[in-house]
Amino acid sequence: MTTATYHPSGGFDRPLHPLHALLLAGSVPLFLGVLLSDVAYANSAQVQWKNFASWLNAGALLFSGLALLWALIGLFTVAGRRRRPLLSALLLLVGWVIGFINSLVHAKDAAASLPEGVVLAAIVFVVMAVASWLGLAATPREVRA
């Protein structure tokens, strides 16, 4: 049995692909790890926390970049022309760019990444959490076929 979602504005939508959902939701805990590692580095001055944040940021950029690519391709479908997928893709793009800038900040020498790294990590975490929430939000009506 398949499930399709009916939208009052017209048209049917398929549910989110599981791999897209994994990529979309997988970047949020990685960006949270970046933020927590940056906070730990700011409080302890142990350089390994900065290194850990750099690697987490690289993984988060990989996940969110693939999710962004999937979302941009999905915008060209009939279901993607609505407001919510467009806003989610736009927030993913903004979050990816800020995350990339954060990776450049983390490439600086040890203490030179403070406090910009912590601020950018907090911003990118919030943006990616909202983008993932919008991308994973359930649709209002389902029709079983």
Side-chain angles (χ1 to χ4, degrees):
M1 183 176 284
T2 61
T3 303
T5 305
Y6 172 73
H7 296 281
S9 60
F12 287 87
D13 187 15
R14 289 181 292 174
L16 195 62
H17 192 277
L19 182 59
H20 185 203
L22 174 77
L23 292 170
L24 197 58
S27 65
V28 175
L30 290 171
F31 280 121
L32 177 61
V34 173
L35 176 62
L36 295 176
S37 295
D38 279 343
V39 168
Y41 175 60
N43 289 330
S44 70
Q46 293 290 326
V47 178
Q48 192 60 31
W49 285 113
K50 183 183 141 332
N51 295 336
F52 192 50
S54 296
W55 281 104
L56 283 170
N57 199 23
L61 286 175
L62 177 68
F63 269 64
S64 60
L66 291 172
L68 173 63
L69 181 63
W70 198 310
L72 291 176
I73 291 170
L75 287 178
F76 294 108
T77 65
V78 176
R81 294 192 183 122
R82 284 186 300 281
R83 188 176 188 177
R84 185 170 282 180
L86 179 64
L87 184 58
S88 176
L90 183 65
L91 285 173
L92 276 172
L93 178 63
V94 168
W96 194 90
V97 168
I98 296 171
F100 182 75
I101 293 169
N102 195 17
S103 71
L104 296 177
V105 167
H106 279 91
K108 292 179 182 178
D109 193 29
S113 66
L114 291 176
E116 296 94 4
V118 178
V119 172
L120 287 173
I123 292 170
V124 74
F125 170 68
V126 169
V127 169
M128 285 304 205
V130 171
S132 294
W133 177 68
L134 287 174
L136 295 171
T139 50
R141 299 182 188 180
E142 287 188 356
V143 177
R144 300 216 181 242

